[in-house]
Amino acid sequence: MVPLVGLRGFQATPAFSPDGTLVAFRQSDGARNTGIYATAVGGEKSLQLTSDPGDCCPTWSPNGDRIAFARYSEKTVSIYVVPTLGGTERRVYQGATAMAAGLSWSPGGNSLAFSESNSADPTRAWISLLSLADSSTRALTSPPAGWLDHEPAFSPDGTHLAFIRSTVAGVSNDVFVMTMPFGRATRLTFDNRPIMGPPTWTADSSEIIFSSNRAATTGLWRVSATGSIPRPVAGPEGEANWPSIPAKGSNALVYEQWVSKANVWRLDLKDPKHAEKSPSALVSEKGDKMRPELSPDRKKVAFESNRMGFWDIWTCTVDGTNCDQVTSLHGTAGRARWSPNGRYIAFEFHPNERGEIYMVEVPGGVPHLVPTIPGSDNLSPSWSRDGKWLYYASKRGAEAFQIWKMPVQGGAPVRLTKIGGISPVESPDGRSLYYCKYEQGGVWRMPVRGGEETQVLSDVDGGGWPDWGITSKGIYFMRFGKFPHVSIDFFEFATAKTLPILTLEKKPGWGLSISNDGKSIVYIQNEFAESNIMLVKNFR
């Protein structure tokens, strides 16, 4: 195993040319050197083919003379074709930005498989075949309502298509395969675990290689195209994502090796509009971290971390010591929320295909399921300010996520929103509910007792699901400007103006929240991240 390229920045989404002599990939260093590149195996210099920061996910034509790739913008996704040695780009498709991705060039050379959706139902995506002759499309798969089919991969002999089917929340993923052109989709894996990147086929079309954390750490696995128990692929080290194998029998494999560390940071405020001092690292233990939240007394911080392999809930004191593992459920647990009295943490857990709401007493309690809505995806819990209610988001099938609430002591759930909502938070005075939309950025508001649902922050302002927090004075949120600029801004209710509070020095992770007294912001910042393309020689 050796690194394939030595460029600075991040290299990702590798794809082998059919004969195994070249690899296309996405390059990004935060400056001009961003786009689709191609490099020779064993060569010294990589060739830049495109320069748009939204370019991703290359796939090769069967004879290796062209590369297709996706170009993502805020509202649309386009598919382009460019000559292997560089030249004029030709757009062959444009449509609504999908929640899923992936491209695969058919062995016959006349079409591309891709993940398609439409703006009318962004919570469903299917695999379509795009004709390169007239840009027409036809659906190949038909997932159930509320599911996403993505990351297609043609077998080298052209008889089958592998793809990933996942829930809208993206946590539950499995490998499927279908006979071309319109065969029945057959499920090959039953893990309901994250899968990173598209599957790839062995050259004889007998096996499928895919990346998964089905054994806690993320690695490569192989499964028979006709069904078998997945077996680990020996060799790759570190977090191995996005595998690719040449279609014509070269004994090689490339994959994306990702190494990162994210810490919890704290920013104390002098007043609502000004920081008291520079931010400081709150928790810098090993492992990635996401979605932190300070306890009501500001003495502890809860967050989700994969330091023991699986994503679980942890707490640490604010000096970074006395870290405790709150859950050990061997799945994906997240979105920890403290009760107002600091005795309990509510969180979401994904035991199978759907998320559920759980609660645990801290320290030392045993997590238990909170009965919500059976057969639905139940996510993003939060507490009412008086501690008597749990808010959460729920969806069933093709329905949009909606905000519900239920008594903590048990009782029937009550639906609150009518036009969609996720990640609910009650206002400090207990009168209003603030929340996001699954399909777009921004923050909305409605009365707790029901009423008109109005937008407070637009998707241009910011406010992704976990990247904002509310006080009686306004909303603190992550604003993502032109790459790589990211800041923490404050939207003031009294003036409806947005003010910058802090410009981040490094790329943020997932999650921002503010303490109940409005004096401290906690967020995730990536201390270092590295993505390399690794070449595995003599793969078999």
Side-chain angles (χ1 to χ4, degrees):
M1 293 177 295
V2 295
L4 183 67
V5 294
L7 296 173
R8 68 187 295 265
F10 298 86
Q11 296 86 48
T13 69
F16 249 126
S17 64
D19 62 4
T21 61
L22 298 167
V23 174
F25 58 94
R26 182 181 187 273
Q27 160 71 20
S28 174
D29 65 2
R32 296 181 179 179
N33 301 318
T34 298
I36 303 299
Y37 280 58
T39 190
V41 175
E44 297 181 358
K45 186 174 177 59
S46 299
L47 175 66
Q48 183 173 6
L49 303 179
T50 75
S51 58
D52 193 295
D55 293 350
C56 182
C57 317
T59 182
W60 293 81
S61 63
N63 61 8
D65 67 338
R66 291 170 295 166
I67 292 173
F69 62 93
R71 175 169 293 165
Y72 293 91
S73 64
E74 186 177 345
K75 299 294 184 182
T76 64
V77 59
S78 302
I79 298 175
Y80 285 83
V81 174
V82 65
T84 299
L85 299 179
T88 302
E89 301 171 359
R90 180 171 70 94
R91 190 174 72 187
V92 295
Y93 172 85
Q94 186 176 56
T97 297
M99 293 181 180
L103 282 176
S104 183
W105 209 309
S106 68
N110 56 3
S111 58
L112 289 164
F114 73 106
S115 184
E116 185 176 25
S117 65
N118 59 55
S119 56
D121 183 12
T123 63
R124 184 171 177 266
W126 54 92
I127 305 299
S128 285
L129 202 61
L130 170 67
S131 169
L132 294 176
D134 58 10
S135 293
S136 62
T137 64
R138 55 173 175 160
L140 293 178
T141 69
S142 181
W147 289 78
L148 308 173
D149 287 352
H150 54 105
E151 311 296 359
F154 280 105
S155 61
D157 62 12
T159 61
H160 290 81
L161 182 79
F163 61 92
I164 307 300
R165 177 166 290 174
S166 68
T167 58
V168 170
V171 176
S172 176
N173 300 259
D174 278 293
V175 179
F176 283 68
V177 67
M178 63 176 290
T179 304
M180 289 298 294
F182 296 108
R184 182 175 61 89
T186 301
R187 186 174 180 177
L188 296 184
T189 67
F190 298 84
D191 300 322
N192 299 301
R193 299 300 303 277
I195 291 177
M196 281 58 71
T200 188
W201 292 79
T202 54
D204 62 3
S205 298
S206 66
E207 288 187 301
I208 295 167
I209 311 293
F210 64 99
S211 169
S212 172
N213 68 354
R214 68 189 307 271
T217 56
T218 301
L220 300 185
W221 297 78
R222 63 199 310 158
V223 63
S224 169
T226 58
S228 66
I229 297 174
R231 297 178 293 121
V233 174
E237 298 176 348
E239 234 181 74
N241 308 320
W242 209 284
S244 179
I245 296 173
K248 296 182 179 178
S250 172
N251 293 325
L253 175 146
V254 289
Y255 67 93
E256 175 188 328
Q257 183 189 64
W258 180 262
V259 181
S260 66
K261 180 183 179 183
N263 290 339
V264 180
W265 282 68
R266 172 176 170 174
L267 176 67
D268 290 329
L269 300 173
K270 180 172 56 178
D271 58 55
K273 303 178 185 179
H274 301 92
E276 183 176 18
K277 56 185 178 180
S278 298
S280 59
L282 202 64
V283 180
S284 56
E285 298 285 327
K286 62 183 179 181
D288 278 340
K289 305 162 190 72
M290 293 195 299
R291 297 189 286 193
E293 182 170 280
L294 285 169
S295 61
D297 61 7
R298 298 171 63 197
K299 293 181 179 180
K300 288 187 175 183
V301 61
F303 55 93
E304 54 203 270
S305 175
N306 65 350
R307 69 179 65 184
M308 299 296 288
F310 294 98
W311 283 98
D312 277 300
I313 305 300
W314 290 72
T315 62
C316 295
T317 54
V318 293
D319 61 1
T321 62
N322 299 320
C323 293
D324 296 317
Q325 185 175 356
V326 177
T327 68
S328 182
L329 298 172
H330 288 188
T332 302
R335 201 39 163 163
R337 295 285 202 176
W338 293 91
S339 63
N341 62 11
R343 289 185 56 193
Y344 300 91
I345 290 176
F347 62 97
E348 66 183 55
F349 178 61
H350 301 261
N352 296 300
E353 294 177 350
R354 299 178 179 88
E356 297 289 357
I357 307 302
Y358 278 66
M359 189 186 301
V360 61
E361 187 172 5
V362 287
V366 177
H368 66 272
L369 175 70
V370 177
T372 50
I373 304 175
S376 298
D377 224 359
N378 304 294
L379 309 171
S380 301
S382 69
W383 300 78
S384 63
R385 299 291 173 167
D386 61 11
K388 296 180 179 180
W389 296 85
L390 271 179
Y391 297 101
Y392 62 97
S394 182
K395 77 179 295 292
R396 185 194 298 269
E399 301 171 355
F401 274 107
Q402 303 288 354
I403 305 298
W404 295 69
K405 71 174 184 178
M406 63 175 295
V408 172
Q409 298 301 322
V414 179
R415 178 172 164 176
L416 298 176
T417 58
K418 297 179 180 179
I419 54 176
I422 197 170
S423 194
V425 179
E426 192 177 273
S427 62
D429 62 9
R431 296 179 180 179
S432 300
L433 189 69
Y434 290 79
Y435 54 94
C436 289
K437 302 275 189 178
Y438 181 87
E439 299 84 0
Q440 61 190 102
V443 178
W444 273 254
R445 175 178 59 204
M446 68 174 295
V448 165
R449 298 182 181 276
E452 184 180 2
E453 304 171 35
T454 58
Q455 189 173 29
V456 182
L457 285 177
S458 70
D459 55 354
V460 176
D461 297 326
W465 301 349
D467 292 330
W468 57 281
I470 185 169
T471 69
S472 60
K473 302 294 184 181
I475 299 173
Y476 294 89
F477 64 94
M478 290 277 189
R479 180 191 288 274
F480 292 83
K482 187 175 182 181
F483 184 83
H485 180 82
V486 181
S487 63
I488 297 176
D489 287 10
F490 175 62
F491 175 79
E492 188 176 38
F493 291 145
T495 63
K497 292 183 178 180
T498 298
L499 307 168
I501 303 297
L502 174 73
T503 297
L504 274 61
E505 296 181 357
K506 297 180 180 180
K507 184 179 179 181
W510 212 35
L512 175 150
S513 66
I514 187 160
S515 60
N516 287 349
D517 60 11
K519 294 182 178 180
S520 296
I521 297 171
V522 287
Y523 60 95
I524 301 295
Q525 183 169 275
N526 292 324
E527 299 312 298
F528 71 86
E530 187 176 274
S531 178
N532 301 305
I533 295 175
M534 301 296 292
L535 171 66
V536 181
K537 299 179 179 180
N538 301 317
F539 174 78
R540 59 186 182 274

